[in-house]
Amino acid sequence: MKVAVLGAGAIGAYVGAALHRAGVEVHLIARGEHLQAIRSAGVRVLTPRGDFVAHPHATDDPTEVGPVDHIFLGLKANSYAAAGPMIQPLLHENTSIIAAQNGIPWWYFHGLKGPYEGYRIESVDPGGAVTAALPLHRAIGCVVYAATEIERPGVIRHLEGTRFSIGEPNGAPTERCAAFSRAAVEGGLKCPVEPDLRRDVWIKLMGNIAFNPISALARATMAGICRHDGARGLVVAMMRETVEVARRVGCDPGISIERRLRGAEKAGEHKTSTLQDLEKGKPLELDVLLAAVVELADLTGAEVPTLRAIHAVSDLLNANLVRAV
């Protein structure tokens, strides 16, 4: 198996190091000081499960890598539309694209039987630009239940969780999913192949849709949000509205809001990826989290006043950040 990790940041480098440890031919595509550190000393993973170092090939040029069996996409979703030139040199006829993203994926209605089959979510895939860069037939979904951060260039701190659930948009049990899962498990990760990955998408989104924008607006950790009565109530309202939208597009997450809150509390003083991006002055990954669900609410007639309000103020925050870049 040959795997390219495009966007070898905190999650991408962690997965790439695990796959390399399993004997997979891994190529990390990164840039800047992080790339230089990996080239000189490998990827050092600091984890409660036992630190290790991996030495996969690392480059900033996909043409050095050539066609691969799987592309593990560690980029932010707001970078997908521009990823085509980086993706193209990595493709052969059967290459899959495993996108480890938060929020609603561009493939969401691909292969989903029902009234919305084939619907393109404009806020996720504007003008079809993401589908053009990441063809639907190559897509394998991936929901990440792991928290990592780049402690310094070339060094990844693994905070919690090793689960990377994957699945085909149509739910089929394919060999390409099974092969990637086997390699990931051999490298020390949990990688179940789910027959209905959309349920995982919504379970993860229940937390992200609330905690990510609130953490950026309030400069608060997940535990800090949970401790504040008003903010906790806001999270509950956002989760309720999100579950209603999920049900209207045919998916019941099947998990209580209180249980989802307890899971968030266990993360402790963890900064969400959105807050980390804000602190670095980077654009915020909000379209796939908030805008997409508001669009689906419009599509299905769901009432989501809390989501609309938080989307408006967080979108303004993001617009100011983009102008400042």
Side-chain angles (χ1 to χ4, degrees):
M1 182 185 294
K2 184 178 179 181
V3 176
V5 178
L6 180 55
I11 286 292
Y14 173 61
V15 170
L19 292 171
H20 186 267
R21 188 165 61 164
V24 174
E25 181 186 341
V26 174
H27 302 265
L28 303 183
I29 301 172
R31 60 185 181 181
E33 292 182 358
H34 188 52
L35 171 59
Q36 298 308 316
I38 294 172
R39 280 174 163 168
S40 62
V43 179
R44 185 181 179 197
V45 178
L46 309 178
T47 170
R49 308 171 75 236
D51 300 351
F52 67 95
V53 179
H55 295 273
H57 172 245
T59 180
D60 58 0
D61 183 2
T63 62
E64 288 184 12
V65 177
V68 299
D69 300 307
H70 303 282
I71 300 168
F72 185 88
L73 207 56
L75 301 171
K76 294 288 187 181
N78 50 17
S79 300
Y80 287 0
M86 298 288 281
I87 292 281
Q88 199 60 41
L90 303 171
L91 299 178
H92 61 54
E93 183 179 354
N94 297 314
T95 301
S96 75
I97 299 173
I98 303 171
Q101 73 162 90
N102 288 325
I104 302 295
W106 82 102
W107 53 260
Y108 189 86
F109 289 109
H110 175 61
L112 180 64
K113 300 299 182 184
Y116 305 116
E117 182 176 7
Y119 177 82
R120 179 176 57 78
I121 306 171
E122 180 66 23
S123 53
V124 171
D125 186 10
V130 174
T131 295
L134 312 176
L136 290 169
H137 72 279
R138 297 187 183 275
I140 291 176
C142 178
V143 178
V144 178
Y145 295 94
T148 60
E149 60 187 21
I150 298 177
E151 183 159 292
R152 58 184 182 274
V155 179
I156 306 299
R157 182 165 294 278
H158 171 228
L159 303 171
E160 64 171 353
T162 60
R163 181 178 161 195
F164 293 78
S165 297
I166 64 173
E168 297 283 353
N170 66 2
T174 60
E175 176 55 27
R176 66 180 187 173
C177 280
F180 186 86
S181 173
R182 288 192 297 267
V185 169
E186 191 172 340
L189 305 178
K190 295 178 181 177
C191 190
V193 180
E194 300 290 354
D196 182 11
L197 192 68
R198 290 174 181 83
R199 180 173 177 271
D200 286 70
V201 167
W202 285 104
I203 290 172
K204 181 77 183 292
L205 182 56
M206 283 173 67
N208 287 144
I209 200 170
F211 285 101
N212 285 53
I214 292 173
S215 70
L217 292 166
R219 310 301 201 273
T221 64
M222 292 178 70
I225 293 168
C226 289
R227 285 193 301 267
H228 187 278
D229 289 344
R232 188 185 183 96
L234 189 59
V235 168
V236 169
M238 294 176 75
M239 286 187 177
R240 283 178 180 153
E241 292 176 7
T242 300
V243 170
E244 176 61 23
V245 174
R247 288 172 176 161
R248 290 191 180 218
V249 294
C251 183
D252 189 336
I255 185 172
S256 72
I257 289 173
E258 279 304 315
R259 182 179 172 188
R260 195 66 187 85
L261 277 169
R262 288 196 298 271
E265 285 175 317
K266 289 179 182 177
E269 303 305 328
H270 173 62
K271 294 181 179 181
T272 69
S273 59
T274 304
L275 177 54
Q276 292 179 48
D277 285 343
L278 175 67
E279 292 179 339
K280 295 172 184 175
K282 295 181 177 180
L284 308 181
E285 189 183 33
L286 292 175
D287 287 344
V288 295
L289 298 180
L290 268 168
V293 179
V294 171
E295 182 178 338
L296 293 181
D298 290 338
L299 179 69
T300 61
E303 295 292 331
V304 291
T306 317
L307 294 180
R308 290 186 192 280
I310 296 298
H311 175 240
V313 291
S314 57
D315 190 55
L316 175 59
L317 172 62
N318 189 47
N320 289 336
L321 276 174
V322 170
R323 278 195 294 268
V325 172

